[in-house]
């Protein structure tokens, strides 16, 4: 059983909802209504932290008003669009609750499911993820690619990343503190929670359609997320280079033997050209592909060694008490402790 009075002892809410926002003006009024209804029915105090990920519409104006008028609502404005995974990270860094729930803004992660997540958490699970059993109204392409992605990822990675699970989940304080100690840039949040272990459980839900607005995950963004997921959790593509190289050398050796025999027995004299071209283009293809794979990892290393902060906060609303305590550290995650700087103001 979890002691739900922990956070309240520190004057903090028990539950923190973290909601990334990128150009969601169409859905915000409805979202806020549903979130308020949710908070009212929870069994303990809660805060809702909205993270504006550099929206270019009126989302921010709406949210500032909300955060200024209701102490349960808080707003973190990032200085530009940092991407969904980083926005989630910024919100989790600021969460004060004993249980942190991450959910999408478009109500595809239904607020009511949060009750089920909390029930599981109270049974003693540190991480409770919501598994989509049905995806309504998403295009066939999206469903196919999503399903392919989860299956490829399962094959390629050594950590268990649960299937059909997005970022809709509840994490307890222990998991949250572990997460905060993971400074990697290339953030694939669901993989990071898979990696850390702890007692994990799933809650099933049917994923409805987006309540309003359009997806902020166009096809190419999903491909990028998929590649990041694989590259940051698997070195199989690198090892593939070894086996592909071996296989190609084997084939080349056989072709060599064949060439010698053809020359010895003078069968069909001048068809050397075709085979040469085939071999050369095949080999350069493999070469280029593998260079690309290595490039992905080298690029990852390059991004890590720069040790830049993960995100930059432009403005906070509703964090009055927390701001003093944060004193800039949390705003610039991922730096070595000695060189932390104040970043927001
Ligand atoms: N999002 C974000 N930054 C981005 C893209 C998306 O914070 O660069 C947020 C978005 O506002 C939403 C969540 O991430 O709350 C999931 O995005 P979306 O619903 O568009 O993705 P989908 O459900 O279509 O995969
Ligand atoms: Mg969505």
């Amino acid at each position: 059983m979890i002691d739900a009075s922990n956070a309240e002892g520190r004057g903090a809410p028990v539950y923190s909802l973290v909601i990334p926002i990128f150009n969601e003006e169409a859905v915000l009024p409805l979202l806020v209504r549903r979130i308020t209804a949710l908070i009212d029915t929870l069994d303990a105090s809660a805060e809702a932290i909205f993270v504006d990920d550099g929206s270019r519409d009126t989302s921010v104006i709406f949210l500032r008003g909300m955060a200024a008028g209701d102490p349960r609502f808080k707003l973190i404005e990032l200085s530009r669009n940092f991407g969904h995974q980083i926005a989630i990270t910024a919100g989790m860094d600021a969460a004060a609750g004993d249980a942190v729930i991450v959910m999408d803004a478009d109500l595809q992660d239904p607020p009511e499911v949060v009750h089920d997540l909390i029930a599981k958490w109270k049974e003693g699970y540190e991480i409770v993820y919501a598994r989509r059993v049905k995806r309504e109204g998403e295009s066939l392409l999206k469903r196919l690619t999503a399903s392919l992605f989860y299956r490829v990822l399962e094959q390629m990675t050594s950590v268990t990343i649960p299937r059909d699970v997005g970022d809709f989940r509840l994490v307890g304080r222990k998991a949250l503190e572990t997460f905060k100690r993971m400074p990697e840039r290339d953030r694939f949040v669901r993989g990071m929670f898979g990696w850390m272990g702890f007692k994990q459980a799933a809650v099933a839900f049917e994923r409805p359609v987006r309540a309003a607005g359009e997806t902020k995950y166009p096809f190419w963004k999903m491909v990028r997320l998929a590649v990041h997921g694989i590259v940051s959790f698997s070195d199989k593509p690198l090892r593939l280079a070894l086996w592909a190289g071996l296989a190609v050398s084997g084939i080349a050796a056989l072709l060599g033997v064949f060439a010698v025999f053809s020359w010895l027995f003078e069968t069909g004299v001048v068809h050397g050209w075709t085979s040469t071209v085939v071999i050369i283009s095949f080999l350069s293809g493999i070469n280029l592909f593998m260079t690309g794979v290595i490039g992905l990892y080298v690029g990852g290393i390059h991004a890590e060694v720069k040790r830049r902060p993960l995100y930059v906060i432009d403005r906070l609303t509703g964090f009055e008490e927390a701001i003093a305590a944060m004193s800039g550290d949390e705003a610039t995650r991922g730096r070595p402790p000695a060189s932390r700087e104040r970043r927001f103001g």
Side-chain angles (χ1 to χ4, degrees), residues 127-147:
I127 299 173
V128 188
Y129 42 86
R131 170 177 276 136
R132 307 155 179 168
V133 289
K134 205 171 133 209
R135 289 160 161 260
E136 256 176 50
E138 290 186 345
S139 71
L140 186 66
L141 179 71
K142 178 132 192 173
R143 289 206 312 268
L144 275 182
T145 48
S147 131

Side-chain angles (χ1 to χ4, degrees), residues 20-28 57 104-108 138 142 209-218 221:
I21 304 286
F22 181 54
N23 298 340
E24 299 285 9
E25 61 183 3
V27 78
L28 277 180
D57 63 4
D104 284 357
D106 57 4
L107 297 167
Q108 280 195 292
E138 290 186 345
K142 178 132 192 173
V209 287
R210 208 172 218 290
E214 275 169 11
T215 177
K216 310 301 179 293
Y217 261 104
K221 250 193 193 171

Side-chain angles (χ1 to χ4, degrees), residues 117-309:
L117 299 178
I118 288 175
K120 273 274 180 241
W121 174 64
K122 289 192 168 166
E123 282 173 27
Y125 293 96
E126 186 64 15
I127 299 173
V128 188
Y129 42 86
R131 170 177 276 136
R132 307 155 179 168
V133 289
K134 205 171 133 209
R135 289 160 161 260
E136 256 176 50
E138 290 186 345
S139 71
L140 186 66
L141 179 71
K142 178 132 192 173
R143 289 206 312 268
L144 275 182
T145 48
S147 131
L148 182 72
F149 166 59
Y150 289 114
R151 273 137 199 92
V152 169
L153 198 64
E154 199 164 84
Q155 289 299 315
M156 293 283 245
T157 57
S158 37
V159 293
T160 345
I161 300 172
R163 262 189 207 188
D164 299 322
V165 166
D167 291 306
F168 186 23
R169 68 162 62 69
L170 177 151
V171 300
R173 200 75 226 176
K174 272 186 286 182
L176 183 73
E177 293 302 330
T178 311
F179 181 77
K180 288 201 204 170
R181 297 207 332 261
M182 297 169 82
E184 62 227 66
R185 249 110 278 275
D186 210 353
R187 292 180 101 69
F188 185 58
V189 172
R190 56 200 87 159
M192 294 165 70
F193 282 110
W195 173 89
M196 67 176 71
F198 290 122
K199 263 182 91 180
Q200 309 204 355
V203 161
F205 78 107
E206 291 190 3
R207 194 159 211 237
V209 287
R210 208 172 218 290
E214 275 169 11
T215 177
K216 310 301 179 293
Y217 261 104
F219 185 67
W220 61 268
K221 250 193 193 171
M222 290 219 322
V223 171
R224 212 167 56 182
L225 181 72
V227 172
H228 274 183
I230 289 168
V231 169
S232 53
F233 280 93
S234 168
D235 55 5
K236 272 201 186 148
L238 277 179
R239 279 181 282 135
L240 204 72
L242 183 68
W243 297 111
L246 273 180
V248 171
S249 316
I251 295 169
L254 285 180
L255 278 172
V257 171
F258 173 74
V260 170
F261 270 87
S262 334
W263 173 72
L264 275 182
F265 300 104
E266 286 190 49
T267 50
V269 200
V270 197
H271 33 226
W273 188 81
T274 325
S275 55
T276 311
V277 169
V278 168
I279 292 167
I280 290 179
S281 40
F282 183 54
L283 287 182
S284 25
I286 294 265
N287 253 325
L288 271 180
F289 178 72
M290 288 308 163
T291 314
V293 169
I294 292 167
L296 286 176
Y297 286 86
V298 174
I301 296 170
H302 179 65
E304 295 293 342
V305 295
K306 283 189 286 193
R307 309 206 116 246
R308 292 210 181 128

Side-chain angles (χ1 to χ4, degrees), residues 52-75:
D52 176 66
D53 189 17
S55 295
R56 287 180 272 270
D57 63 4
T58 58
S59 300
V60 148
I61 298 167
F62 183 86
L63 288 170
R64 276 185 199 156
M66 281 307 307
D70 186 332
R72 296 170 301 177
F73 289 105
K74 294 169 183 175
L75 172 64

